[in-house]
Amino acid sequence: MYWEKDIETMDRDKLEAHQLARLKETLGNASKSPYYAKVFKDQGLDIQQINALEDVERLPLTTKDDLRQQWPYGFLACSKDEIVRMHSSSGTTGRAIVVFHTANDVDQWTNLVARSMYMTGMRKSDVFQNMMTYGLFTGGLGFHYGAEKLGALVIPASAGNSKRQIQLMMDFDTTYIHIIPSYALHLSAVFEEMKVDPRKDTKLKGAFVGAEPHSEKMRKIIEDFYGFKAYNSYGLSEMCGPGVAFECPHQTGMHVWEDNFLMEVIDPVSLKRVPDGEEGELVMTTLLRDGMPILRYRTRDLTRIIPGSCECGRTHRRIERIKGRSDDMIIIKGVNIFPVQIEKRLMDIPGVGTNYLIILEREGLNDTMLVKVEVQKDFFAGDLKQLENLRHRIVEELRSDILITPKVDLVGPDSLEKSEGKAVRVIDNRKD
Ligand code: AMP
Ligand code: ZN
C-alpha cells in the first residue's frame, strides 16, 4: 500500500524535524547561488537565525518574475557540470522560465512520481500510457521515469494523435494513462467516433489528470465515461514537475509530499500566512533540491490546506483541488471570476458538451463577457426552441453565480479549438 511506509506515515513531529533540518541545509545551499547570495546580503539576512519552521516567514518570497530576471543561471547553486537536465515551465503566462536538475534531483523527483503512482494502486504489472507532451514540459519525462522506476511497462505515446492513442490502449492493454483533463474529454468524442467503449473494449483502470485547473464535476464526467478512477496530480516545474501533490485512493484532496517541500498558504494581498483550512495562495520551498533550490515560491495557485488526517494513514497534509491561479482570475465590472467557477456551472447543465471558451471584450466603457459553449450532438441536432431554452438557462445560471450577465453562444460539438497542452479557457481582448 505504501511505496515508502516510514516516510509516508511518519509522525508529524518527526516529519517537521526532518523539514527543519532540510530547510537549514537548503538555505546553506541556496546561499551558493548568485541570486540568493545577493538577496541574503542585501536584506542582512543571517540564515543561522532560522531555527524553527515558522522562521521561514522571515525569508523573502520568490516570484516567477525573479526567475525570469535571473534567466538562465542566476538561481544555480552548483557548477554547471553537475547539471544533467533542463526543463521549462509551459509558460501559460508570459515568457517561460528554466529549471535545472542534478542527477540527484532527478532521482528524488522520479521517486516522488513513483511514490504517487504506487499510492493510487498502480503496480509493476501495469501498462502505463503517458499521453503528455515529451520535451521541456515536465509532464512527459517526469511521469515517464517515475513509472519506469515503479517497474510498469511505459508507452511513451506523448500528446495528440487521438486515434493512435486509442489503438495503443487496445493493442497493449493499457491500464493507466496520464492525460490533461480537457484532452480526456476531447478524446471521449474520438472513442465514440471509433465506436470503442473504454469500459468494455479497454483494460483501463486509472488515470492521472492534472496540469490545469478542472472542476470536481469534470473529473466525474471523465470517470463516468471511461469507467476508471481519475486521480488529481499537481505539480509545477519550479518545484520539479508532477509529483508535488497527489491524490490517494480516498480522493479527498492531494497529499503534498512534505518530506520534499515546505508549504505555506498566504493571503495574496497582505502576503501573510493564513490559518490552516483557509483559502489562499500556495507557497512552496524545495527541501531536497541540490541544483536549484527555490525558497518560498509564489505558485499563484489558489487552494487551502484540508484540516484533519486522511484515512489512508499518510501524515503528509492535503491540499484542496486548485481553484484557479490568482493570475487567471478574470476581473470584470469589479467582479472576480475564475474559469473553473464557470465550468462547474456549465457541466451541471444537461445538454452542455465538453468544451467552453470565455471571451472578454471592451465596448466603449463597458466590458462584456461572451461564453462559447459546446453543445452535445443530440441537442445540437435537435429543435431550435430546445436550443434557445438551453442558451437561456446557461445565461440565467451563470448570472446567478457570477452576478454578471454573459452573452452565450452555443456551438457544435468539437467545434472549439483544442490545444494538445493546457486548455485555453479565456481570451481577453480588452485593451488597457
Ligand atoms: P508547469 O510548470 O508549466 O507545469 O505549470 C504548473 C502549473 O500548472 C501550476 O502552477 C498550476 O497552475 C497548474 N497545475 C498543475 N497541476 C494542476 C492540477 N492538478 N490542478 C490545477 N492546476 C494544476
Ligand atoms: Zn490519503
Side-chain angles (χ1 to χ4, degrees):
M1 178 181 177
Y2 303 107
W3 179 251
E4 290 155 302
K5 185 162 191 277
D6 291 354
I7 297 176
E8 292 171 55
T9 61
M10 193 179 268
D11 286 345
R12 288 294 311 173
D13 286 354
K14 211 167 148 201
L15 185 55
E16 284 170 19
H18 161 90
Q19 287 189 306
L20 181 59
R22 292 300 320 175
L23 176 65
K24 285 158 94 50
E25 266 182 64
T26 299
L27 290 176
N29 191 25
S31 64
K32 289 189 238 151
S33 75
Y35 175 73
Y36 285 118
K38 181 165 184 326
V39 168
F40 292 168
K41 186 160 174 271
D42 289 353
Q43 304 199 356
L45 217 139
D46 177 4
I47 54 174
Q48 302 304 329
Q49 304 282 308
I50 306 288
N51 288 314
L53 285 179
E54 298 74 61
D55 293 344
V56 75
E57 288 176 66
R58 289 166 37 196
L59 300 170
L61 292 157
T62 305
T63 64
K64 211 181 224 355
D65 243 2
D66 296 327
L67 287 164
R68 239 176 239 139
Q69 277 163 23
Q70 296 300 315
W71 191 91
Y73 299 122
F75 273 79
L76 263 200
C78 65
S79 94
K80 277 192 225 155
D81 294 355
E82 301 298 314
I83 295 300
V84 299
R85 179 98 68 81
M86 177 183 121
H87 275 288
S88 165
S89 119
S90 52
T92 27
T93 47
R95 181 181 172 192
I97 52 98
V98 283
V99 180
F100 299 99
H101 303 266
T102 63
N104 190 41
D105 295 339
V106 170
D107 282 351
Q108 292 291 350
W109 173 23
T110 301
N111 187 57
L112 287 186
V113 177
R115 188 198 284 175
S116 303
M117 292 171 141
Y118 194 88
M119 171 166 71
T120 68
M122 186 168 137
R123 295 293 178 268
K124 204 176 162 345
S125 51
D126 280 302
V127 178
F128 171 67
Q129 188 164 326
N130 194 10
M131 300 167 69
M132 290 279 182
T133 314
Y134 276 64
L136 288 170
F137 174 53
T138 54
L141 292 179
F143 262 90
H144 182 100
Y145 288 116
E148 275 190 5
K149 182 167 174 96
L150 192 147
L153 165 61
V154 183
I155 305 178
S158 198
N161 208 338
S162 303
K163 287 189 173 147
R164 193 190 60 176
Q165 298 278 6
I166 295 172
Q167 199 59 51
L168 283 169
M169 285 176 201
M170 295 203 292
D171 289 349
F172 300 100
D173 290 341
T174 302
T175 50
Y176 282 84
I177 57 173
H178 177 209
I179 189 166
I180 291 189
S182 52
Y183 185 58
L185 286 183
H186 167 62
L187 197 69
S188 64
V190 184
F191 267 99
E192 279 172 350
E193 192 190 318
M194 288 172 72
K195 303 208 177 342
V196 177
D197 178 350
R199 287 168 166 270
K200 294 202 196 103
D201 307 328
T202 75
K203 299 263 182 338
L204 291 173
K205 52 186 182 193
F208 310 118
V209 296
E212 65 184 14
H214 56 289
S215 56
E216 182 63 41
K217 187 75 196 178
M218 188 187 274
R219 184 236 292 271
K220 273 244 94 32
I221 291 173
I222 294 171
E223 288 188 332
D224 287 348
F225 179 81
Y226 289 92
F228 56 37
K229 289 266 178 216
Y231 299 97
N232 198 355
S233 148
Y234 171 79
L236 62 161
S237 319
E238 292 82 355
M239 289 299 109
C240 60
V244 173
F246 222 88
E247 272 183 339
C248 72
H250 295 279
Q251 294 184 303
T252 49
M254 298 175 280
H255 289 281
V256 172
W257 295 127
E258 293 186 89
D259 56 323
N260 271 257
F261 307 102
L262 186 65
M263 74 164 149
E264 301 164 73
V265 177
I266 64 165
D267 179 319
V269 179
S270 72
L271 306 183
K272 292 267 173 295
R273 197 188 281 216
V274 302
D276 277 14
E278 268 181 39
E279 191 182 286
E281 183 184 320
L282 189 64
V283 167
M284 294 277 216
T285 299
T286 59
L287 293 178
L288 280 166
R289 169 94 74 74
D290 294 336
M292 192 168 152
I294 301 184
L295 311 175
R296 304 194 77 210
Y297 182 65
R298 290 193 63 180
T299 65
R300 296 282 177 186
D301 294 320
L302 300 171
T303 183
R304 66 184 191 100
I305 294 175
I306 299 174
S309 52
C310 183
E311 283 176 44
C312 73
R314 289 178 182 81
T315 49
H316 299 236
R317 287 174 301 169
R318 291 161 299 161
I319 52 168
E320 201 163 69
R321 166 184 300 288
I322 306 293
K323 178 177 166 193
R325 294 177 54 83
S326 58
D327 48 10
D328 58 42
M329 182 174 77
I330 302 164
I331 305 182
I332 178 164
K333 297 181 182 170
V335 182
N336 301 346
I337 302 165
F338 291 98
V340 166
Q341 218 179 324
I342 292 187
E343 175 182 306
K344 227 154 85 189
R345 274 284 167 167
L346 290 178
M347 299 286 153
D348 264 337
I349 303 175
V352 166
T354 53
N355 204 356
Y356 64 96
L357 179 68
I358 301 162
I359 301 169
L360 306 172
E361 302 278 356
R362 180 156 293 163
E363 290 167 12
L365 292 174
N366 204 12
D367 286 356
T368 60
M369 176 192 277
L370 167 68
V371 187
K372 291 191 171 187
V373 182
E374 281 187 6
V375 176
Q376 284 169 11
K377 212 169 25 212
D378 300 347
F379 248 84
F380 204 67
D383 71 88
L384 283 178
K385 181 97 196 306
Q386 192 189 16
L387 271 182
E388 182 48 28
N389 286 344
L390 175 62
R391 201 187 65 77
H392 190 71
R393 175 162 176 200
I394 294 174
V395 172
E396 285 308 313
E397 294 226 4
L398 291 183
R399 176 167 52 199
S400 74
D401 196 337
I402 63 179
L403 310 173
I404 294 224
T405 310
K407 290 183 199 161
V408 171
D409 271 359
L410 300 184
V411 299
D414 268 325
S415 60
L416 294 174
E417 203 179 325
K418 300 278 169 321
S419 94
E420 275 183 9
K422 304 181 191 231
V424 176
R425 299 300 192 194
V426 182
I427 297 179
D428 194 344
N429 291 325
R430 297 175 296 179
K431 303 268 176 298
D432 284 332

